[in-house]
Amino acid sequence: MSFAELAAQLAEIARECYARGWALGTSGNFSAVVNRNPLRLAITTSGVDKGTLSVGEIVEIDEHGKVVAGSGRPSAEASLHLAIARARGAGAVLHTHSIWSTILSDAATEDGLAIEGLPILDNTQDWAAAVPQVEAILAEQPAAHGFLIRGHGLYTWGRDLAEARRHVEILEFLFEVMGRKRGMTWQP
């Protein structure tokens, strides 16, 4: 798929995630692989409202996170998208900030949640430096389809945008079920 086609799909998925409460305001970031060799991603820009995200707010980055097409600054977490694309061969990476993933990631133990194989990583402001840890965790848990960042949200991926979108739906559903079963509440 071309950059323009992927950008249109990413914008649509971002607006859908916003509508479902999974990426409110400027939270979350979404990417899709434009090219494998050399690695290029279409990725949402930093600081844009996912409810009104347009194709023009998606840039193409190279394997180092530098913008090669479009205008704007890629997400500060672009290094995570690149690491997941490399480590998992993912064609798309979606990062949501739902209420339930945030609450559950904070309440979970060091062993994670009862969803088998779903790692929980501590949050950091330096994701580029944390990439080796992320790659090691992904290598340890080859069957995982996602991970949570403590107090922050979900990262999931798929071979393409359709599969990544399906994983978001399934995991977000499970998070809400688990949170409600545990009697957890949130205050807006």
Coordinates of all heavy atoms in Angstrom, one line a residue, residues 4 10 14 32 49 55 66 74 88 95 102 105-106 109-110 113 117 119 138 157 161 171:
A4 N 0.0 7.3 1.0 CA -1.3 8.0 1.1 C -2.4 7.1 1.5 O -3.3 7.5 2.3 CB -1.6 8.6 -0.3
L10 N -4.9 5.0 8.6 CA -4.5 5.4 10.0 C -5.4 6.5 10.6 O -5.8 6.4 11.7 CB -3.0 5.9 10.0 CG -2.0 4.7 9.9 CD1 -0.6 5.3 9.7 CD2 -2.0 3.9 11.1
A14 N -7.7 6.1 13.9 CA -7.5 7.0 15.0 C -8.8 7.7 15.4 O -9.1 7.7 16.6 CB -6.5 8.1 14.6
A32 N 1.9 2.5 10.4 CA 1.8 1.3 9.5 C 3.1 1.3 8.7 O 3.6 2.4 8.4 CB 0.6 1.4 8.6
D49 N -5.2 15.9 17.7 CA -6.4 15.4 18.3 C -6.8 14.2 17.4 O -7.0 14.3 16.2 CB -7.5 16.5 18.3 CG -8.7 16.0 19.0 OD1 -9.1 14.9 18.8 OD2 -9.3 16.9 19.7
V55 N -5.4 13.2 7.2 CA -4.2 12.5 6.4 C -3.0 13.4 6.5 O -1.9 12.9 6.6 CB -4.7 12.3 5.0 CG1 -3.5 11.8 4.1 CG2 -5.7 11.2 4.9
K66 N 13.5 9.7 11.6 CA 13.5 11.0 10.9 C 12.4 11.1 9.9 O 12.2 10.2 9.1 CB 14.9 11.2 10.3 CG 16.0 11.4 11.2 CD 17.3 11.7 10.5 CE 18.1 12.5 11.4 NZ 18.6 13.7 11.1
P74 N 7.0 13.5 14.4 CA 6.4 12.2 14.7 C 6.2 12.0 16.3 O 6.9 12.7 17.0 CB 7.4 11.2 14.2 CG 8.7 11.9 14.1 CD 8.3 13.3 13.9
R88 N 8.8 -7.8 15.7 CA 7.6 -8.7 15.4 C 7.3 -8.8 13.9 O 6.4 -9.6 13.6 CB 6.4 -8.1 16.1 CG 6.4 -8.4 17.6 CD 6.3 -9.9 17.9 NE 5.8 -10.1 19.2 CZ 6.5 -10.6 20.2 NH1 7.8 -10.9 19.9 NH2 6.0 -10.8 21.3
H95 N -1.4 2.3 19.4 CA -1.2 2.6 20.8 C -2.4 3.4 21.3 O -2.6 4.6 20.9 CB 0.1 3.4 21.0 CG 0.3 3.9 22.4 ND1 0.1 3.2 23.5 CD2 0.7 5.1 22.8 CE1 0.3 3.9 24.6 NE2 0.7 5.1 24.2
T102 N -5.3 1.8 31.3 CA -4.6 2.7 32.2 C -4.8 2.2 33.6 O -3.8 2.0 34.4 CB -4.9 4.1 32.1 OG1 -4.7 4.5 30.7 CG2 -4.1 5.0 33.0
S105 N -3.3 -1.4 34.1 CA -1.8 -1.4 34.1 C -1.2 -0.9 35.4 O -0.2 -1.4 35.8 CB -1.3 -0.6 32.9 OG -1.5 0.8 33.1
D106 N -1.9 0.0 36.1 CA -1.5 0.5 37.4 C -1.8 -0.5 38.5 O -1.0 -0.6 39.4 CB -2.2 1.8 37.7 CG -1.3 3.0 37.6 OD1 -0.1 2.8 37.5 OD2 -1.8 4.1 37.8
T109 N 0.2 -6.6 39.0 CA 1.4 -7.0 39.8 C 2.6 -7.0 38.8 O 2.4 -6.9 37.6 CB 1.3 -8.4 40.4 OG1 1.2 -9.3 39.4 CG2 0.0 -8.4 41.3
E110 N 3.8 -7.3 39.3 CA 5.0 -7.5 38.5 C 4.8 -8.6 37.4 O 5.4 -8.5 36.4 CB 6.2 -7.7 39.3 CG 6.7 -6.6 40.1 CD 7.2 -5.4 39.2 OE1 7.9 -5.7 38.2 OE2 6.8 -4.3 39.5
L113 N -1.0 -9.1 34.1 CA -2.4 -9.4 34.2 C -2.7 -10.9 33.9 O -1.8 -11.6 33.4 CB -3.3 -8.6 33.2 CG -3.3 -7.1 33.5 CD1 -4.0 -6.4 32.3 CD2 -4.0 -6.8 34.8
G117 N 0.5 -13.9 28.8 CA 1.5 -13.4 27.9 C 1.4 -11.9 27.6 O 2.0 -11.4 26.6
P119 N 2.7 -8.6 28.7 CA 3.7 -7.9 29.6 C 3.2 -6.5 29.9 O 2.5 -5.9 29.2 CB 5.0 -7.8 28.7 CG 4.7 -8.6 27.5 CD 3.3 -8.8 27.3
L138 N 9.9 -8.6 24.2 CA 9.2 -9.1 23.0 C 9.9 -10.5 22.6 O 9.2 -11.4 22.2 CB 9.3 -8.2 21.9 CG 8.4 -6.9 22.0 CD1 8.6 -6.0 20.9 CD2 7.0 -7.2 22.3
W157 N -0.2 -4.8 17.9 CA 0.3 -4.8 16.5 C -0.3 -5.9 15.7 O -1.0 -6.8 16.3 CB 1.8 -4.9 16.4 CG 2.3 -6.0 17.2 CD1 2.4 -7.3 16.8 CD2 2.7 -6.0 18.6 NE1 2.9 -8.1 17.9 CE2 3.1 -7.3 19.0 CE3 2.8 -5.0 19.5 CZ2 3.6 -7.6 20.2 CZ3 3.3 -5.3 20.8 CH2 3.7 -6.6 21.1
L161 N -3.0 -3.3 9.2 CA -3.9 -2.5 10.0 C -5.1 -3.2 10.4 O -5.6 -3.0 11.6 CB -4.2 -1.2 9.2 CG -3.2 -0.1 9.3 CD1 -3.4 0.9 8.2 CD2 -3.1 0.5 10.7
L171 N -8.4 -6.7 22.9 CA -7.8 -6.4 24.2 C -8.5 -5.3 25.0 O -8.7 -5.5 26.2 CB -6.3 -6.0 23.9 CG -5.4 -7.1 23.5 CD1 -4.1 -6.6 23.0 CD2 -5.2 -8.1 24.6

